């Protein structure tokens, strides 16, 4: 299992780290990485922060290790199809890349504004790729009169923070009751909202944009209540869509929510059966997580892309029985408005949240999330040193709240977190 040809579809973080793990674990055969972008793998977190503010040029985000990997690169040509019977990856330029085993790590793309003619207006941006960041940074350097951000998720909030650091006026519109409500709920989101307003953001919550208007360039947005927001630069931050369209007709269980795979990262066919020679990792992979009752999840986390790619590589070389189910505790972080937000676990479906360390009034605290009396997640705000103590309780499903009675702890009071209803698989 350590020779032959392995093709990696996707040349971003998960694809690179998966390829590196294959070599580290003794794969000596032919290794081919196929990517839709012309760039070697690069780091995405700086794109919404340092690249937009001009502190880092887009070309300086290349990931370490790219130059030392012994592999063939096929960049700038997207995957267009999969011939499972013939064991070949089909490319958009008509090329055909045979494989013995395939690692799918095609990631996700930014969800576009739903009206194509409006999305094509000059000044309308999304942010996912290095080229997106370069175009948006150039637009900001032109000093627009007002920037409008559609969406108050992590990307929308990080971009708003970068824009305010440049001294530009910005409006953020989101139908949710609080920023980051989808991931963290209204309790923590309400705290973030206060920071955004204090930083000068015009925050419009519980509101939808129905139309972008302009001739060739965007000039304003029409709101559902009939009002308008004047803006000559718009950032569409409405989440991500998994890059699975190229798998249509391949007989795999794939849709906009991801490519289904088992705990050993093997892709599942339309009947839910594992395909022995095709694996998935990173943003595109939808897998059963033991900490989530083995319900399928797809994670857009930097750490997950690295860990899951390594897990898939070991399963490809040593067999699925040798690795066990993938069960890393999900973790992510975000920097915005002077806040360092870090998270462990999965908040989805949580029915309670409690401040268990520090205080929001002091601007540094940790909140624990519970579901059915068990601890499922923890989020720290400017208090990352407390977070590692909660990884064990989250992994073990300890009673909620898990840690009490400390000298520096407030008396925890559980309240509903204000999360949206869990998605139905």
């Amino acid at each position: 299992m350590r020779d032959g040809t392995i093709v990696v579809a996707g040349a971003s973080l998960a694809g690179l780290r998966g390829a590196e793990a294959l070599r580290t674990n003794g794969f000596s055969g032919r290794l081919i990485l196929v990517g839709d972008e012309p760039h070697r793998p690069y780091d995405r977190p700086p794109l919404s922060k340092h690249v937009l503010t001009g502190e880092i040029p887009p070309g300086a985000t290349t990931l370490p290790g790219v130059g030392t990997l012994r592999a063939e690169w096929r960049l700038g040509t997207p995957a267009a199809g999969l011939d499972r019977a013939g064991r070949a990856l089909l490319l958009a330029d008509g090329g055909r890349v045979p494989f013995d085993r395939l690692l799918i790590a095609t990631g996700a793309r930014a969800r576009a504004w739903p009206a194509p003619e409006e999305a094509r207006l000059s000044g309308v941006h999304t942010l996912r790729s290095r080229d997106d960041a370069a175009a948006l940074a150039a637009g900001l350097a032109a000093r627009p009169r007002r920037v409008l951000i559609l969406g108050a998720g992590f990307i929308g909030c990080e971009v708003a923070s970068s824009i305010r650091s440049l001294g530009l006026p910005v409006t953020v519109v989101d139908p949710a009751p609080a920023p980051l409500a989808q991931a963290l709920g209204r309790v923590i989101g309400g705290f973030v909202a206060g920071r955004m307003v204090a930083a000068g953001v015009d925050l419009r919550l519980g509101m939808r944009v129905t139309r972008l208007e302009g001739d060739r360039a965007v000039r304003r947005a029409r709101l559902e209540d009939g009002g308008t927001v004047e803006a000559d630069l718009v950032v569409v931050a409405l989440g991500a869509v998994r890059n699975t369209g190229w798998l249509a007709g391949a007989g795999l269980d794939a849709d906009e929510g991801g490519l289904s795979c088992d705990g050993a990262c093997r892709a599942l066919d339309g009947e839910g059966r594992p395909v022995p020679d095709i694996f998935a990792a990173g943003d595109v992979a939808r897998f059963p997580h033991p900490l989530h009752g083995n319900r399928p999840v797809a994670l857009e986390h930097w750490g997950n892309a690295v860990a899951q790619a390594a897990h898939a590589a070991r399963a490809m070389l040593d067999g699925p029985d040798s690795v066990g189910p993938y069960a890393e505790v999900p973790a992510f972080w975000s920097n915005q408005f002077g806040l360092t937000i870090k998270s462990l676990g999965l908040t989805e479906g949580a029915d309670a949240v409690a401040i268990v360390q520090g205080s929001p009034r002091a601007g540094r605290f940790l909140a624990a999330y519970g579901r059915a009396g068990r601890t499922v997640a923890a989020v720290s705000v400017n208090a990352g040193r407390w977070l590692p103590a909660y990884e064990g309780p989250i992994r073990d499903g300890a009673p909620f709240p898990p840690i009490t009675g400390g000298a520096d702890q407030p008396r925890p009071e559980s309240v509903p977190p204000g999360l949206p209803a869990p998605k139905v698989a």
Side-chain angles (χ1 to χ4, degrees):
M1 299 293 288
R2 280 167 168 73
D3 55 12
T5 298
I6 292 181
V7 172
V8 180
S12 191
L13 177 64
L16 174 64
R17 297 305 183 226
E20 290 175 336
L22 288 167
R23 289 300 192 206
T24 299
N25 286 278
F27 178 66
S28 59
R30 188 182 183 193
L31 183 58
I32 306 170
L33 281 86
V34 177
D36 61 342
E37 296 185 60
H39 314 296
R40 293 287 182 100
Y42 55 86
D43 206 15
R44 295 186 189 275
L47 300 183
S48 60
K49 309 173 188 70
H50 308 298
V51 171
L52 295 189
T53 59
E55 299 169 69
I56 297 177
T61 57
T62 302
L63 286 163
V66 170
T68 60
L69 178 65
R70 185 164 56 89
E72 302 171 37
W73 298 87
R74 298 283 296 271
L75 299 177
T77 305
L82 177 61
D83 178 3
R84 280 178 56 198
R87 288 191 174 187
L89 184 70
L90 310 181
L91 304 183
D93 64 0
R96 182 182 178 92
V97 186
F99 62 80
D100 295 305
R101 281 154 288 169
L102 172 67
L103 175 60
I104 296 175
T106 45
R109 65 187 184 278
R111 187 180 297 277
W113 182 247
E117 69 281 2
E118 298 170 22
R120 287 192 292 268
L121 290 171
S122 175
V124 177
H125 297 261
T126 55
L127 180 57
R128 182 76 186 187
S129 70
R130 198 177 98 176
D131 292 341
D132 291 340
L136 180 53
L140 295 173
R143 308 299 295 180
R145 292 188 302 275
R146 176 164 292 276
V147 180
L148 171 63
I149 299 176
L150 309 182
F154 281 103
I155 293 297
C157 290
E158 289 176 358
V159 171
S161 178
S162 297
I163 291 171
R164 286 303 299 143
S165 73
L166 293 171
L168 296 172
V170 59
T171 298
V172 177
V173 178
D174 195 294
L180 311 180
Q182 183 73 33
L184 304 182
R186 284 181 298 184
V187 174
I188 308 303
F191 172 81
V192 175
R195 282 299 185 101
M196 294 176 71
V197 172
V201 175
D202 176 16
L203 186 59
R204 313 280 189 95
L205 298 171
M207 183 63 64
R208 295 180 186 274
V209 169
T210 59
R211 181 175 176 80
L212 300 178
E213 299 178 343
D215 295 326
R216 296 182 179 180
V218 67
R219 289 291 175 260
R220 72 190 63 84
R222 184 74 57 180
L223 303 177
E224 63 182 351
D225 64 358
T228 60
V229 176
E230 300 296 319
D232 48 354
L233 192 152
V234 173
V235 182
V236 179
L238 301 177
V241 179
R242 269 66 182 181
N243 287 322
T244 57
W246 64 279
L247 292 170
L252 299 178
D253 181 16
D255 53 39
E256 284 192 355
L259 168 61
S260 296
C261 57
D262 66 7
C265 301
R266 292 177 296 181
L268 303 182
D269 65 15
E271 303 298 323
R273 298 169 300 198
V275 180
D277 54 355
I278 300 177
F279 295 74
D283 294 0
V284 74
R286 177 173 54 203
F287 64 99
H289 204 298
L291 298 181
H292 203 49
N294 284 320
R295 292 189 293 276
V297 299
L299 304 174
E300 296 178 50
H301 302 163
W302 194 96
N304 175 72
V306 173
Q308 192 173 33
H311 192 87
R314 292 191 298 271
M316 294 175 82
L317 298 180
D318 298 326
D321 294 336
S322 68
V323 296
Y326 177 70
E328 287 289 314
V329 175
F332 72 87
W333 73 94
S334 174
N335 293 315
Q336 52 183 274
F337 301 103
L339 304 174
T340 298
I341 302 171
K342 296 183 178 181
S343 174
L344 287 174
L346 293 165
T347 61
E348 183 180 351
D351 54 28
V353 63
I355 305 300
V356 293
Q357 301 279 2
S359 166
R361 183 172 297 178
R364 48 193 300 273
F365 62 92
L366 184 142
Y369 291 75
R371 182 175 62 238
R374 297 291 176 180
T375 302
V376 295
V379 174
S380 68
V381 177
N382 288 348
R385 66 185 180 90
W386 288 323
L387 196 59
Y390 288 81
E391 180 173 352
I394 291 169
R395 190 181 295 277
D396 298 337
F400 173 81
I403 302 172
T404 59
D408 58 350
Q409 285 188 284
R411 182 175 181 177
E413 296 183 8
S414 299
V415 297
L419 287 160
K423 298 176 182 178
V424 177

